[in-house]
Amino acid sequence: MSAAAGDFIHCKERKVIPKGFKLLDHLTEEQKEQYIAEKEAKKIEQANGQKVLRRFNKLVKEHDFTRRSNWFSKEVGHVAHVVHFHKYTFGPTFRMHVLIRALNDSREYVALNGMPGIDLHPYEPGFKYENSEESIQLCANAMFQAFQEVAIPWFKSNTFKVLISEKSPLIDSGREGLIEALNGKGNPEYVEISRKLLELKA
């Protein structure tokens, strides 16, 4: 039997979910209660995650960073200093990314390459939160501590001289774009794309 035929038989045997079928209606009362409880707990976890980001946003505003969802950015000359938080799906915890984007980068997405993640490992235990205001604030404080003690010094250490060198943390398109911008050959369209991606205040 050919692979194609085997696939066909497999597809024919697969059960199709009837239109209008509701999973909840086919669960036992105990299963329904557990399903609803888990769904509600996930909503609370996600809502608390947003609270953490709002608290962090209040703290980081003193450094003139602008928030766009889980991105926090600041335009500095021809580049943007960026902090990004990834909320894990498996639980109430975040991962922090610290990076620099050249405004004249031709790519229409923000690459998450930047500072080595290992530099943030000592702070990561604090990027977790529980369902309490105290825990939420402690998580935001831990993020801000990492921002102050690790991110800010890293941003300062990456001067334009470093960013256009072989040691640059920028991806190739960013490094090339920065060199062009420093030579007065920047593309206004690329700069506008970067600003829109991060909702930067020029």
Side-chain angles (χ1 to χ4, degrees):
M1 185 187 298
S2 68
D7 290 342
F8 177 75
I9 292 173
H10 178 71
C11 290
K12 292 284 286 184
E13 292 175 348
R14 188 178 300 157
K15 292 182 179 179
V16 178
I17 298 176
K19 188 175 182 181
F21 180 93
K22 293 183 179 179
L23 176 63
L24 209 58
D25 294 338
H26 296 265
L27 298 177
T28 66
E29 287 303 316
E30 184 179 350
Q31 289 172 330
K32 284 181 182 178
E33 288 179 8
Q34 182 180 353
Y35 173 80
I36 292 170
E38 289 176 354
K39 194 170 183 180
E40 186 61 28
K42 199 65 181 177
K43 285 182 180 179
I44 293 172
E45 177 191 306
Q46 292 170 344
N48 285 337
Q50 288 303 309
K51 284 185 180 180
V52 171
L53 295 177
R54 287 197 293 272
R55 303 280 178 89
F56 176 80
N57 187 45
K58 286 183 179 179
L59 294 169
V60 84
K61 272 187 175 179
E62 67 181 66
H63 293 272
D64 297 322
F65 275 66
T66 300
R67 179 188 177 190
R68 177 184 178 274
S69 184
N70 53 344
W71 299 84
F72 300 83
S73 314
K74 177 182 179 181
E75 185 169 330
V76 183
H78 295 290
V79 301
H81 291 171
V82 185
V83 175
H84 171 263
F85 290 102
H86 170 72
K87 165 68 177 62
Y88 286 109
T89 57
F90 61 76
T93 184
F94 288 94
R95 182 178 181 184
M96 183 176 182
H97 301 271
V98 179
L99 56 126
I100 293 175
R101 176 179 172 93
L103 297 180
N104 196 46
D105 193 330
S106 61
R107 300 203 181 209
E108 296 185 4
Y109 64 88
V110 182
L112 289 178
N113 62 316
M115 188 184 72
I118 192 172
D119 294 346
L120 292 164
H121 284 180
Y123 299 86
E124 288 178 352
F127 298 166
K128 300 176 182 178
Y129 59 91
E130 297 175 359
N131 187 22
S132 73
E133 291 299 318
E134 181 184 9
S135 179
I136 288 167
Q137 188 61 55
L138 287 173
C139 183
N141 291 346
M143 290 175 168
F144 187 59
Q145 183 182 3
F147 171 82
Q148 288 182 304
E149 297 178 2
V150 181
I152 293 296
W154 185 80
F155 289 140
K156 289 180 178 178
S157 70
N158 278 282
T159 61
F160 289 152
K161 184 178 180 179
V162 173
L163 292 174
I164 64 174
S165 73
E166 293 181 357
K167 296 181 180 180
S168 176
L170 299 175
I171 56 175
D172 290 343
S173 60
R175 182 170 170 270
E176 292 165 5
L178 178 57
I179 292 172
E180 290 178 353
L182 291 172
N183 289 329
K185 299 178 181 179
N187 187 327
E189 291 184 9
Y190 294 163
V191 174
E192 186 60 25
I193 288 172
S194 293
R195 286 174 175 162
K196 284 184 177 180
L197 282 171
L198 298 167
E199 292 186 9
L200 288 164
K201 294 180 180 178

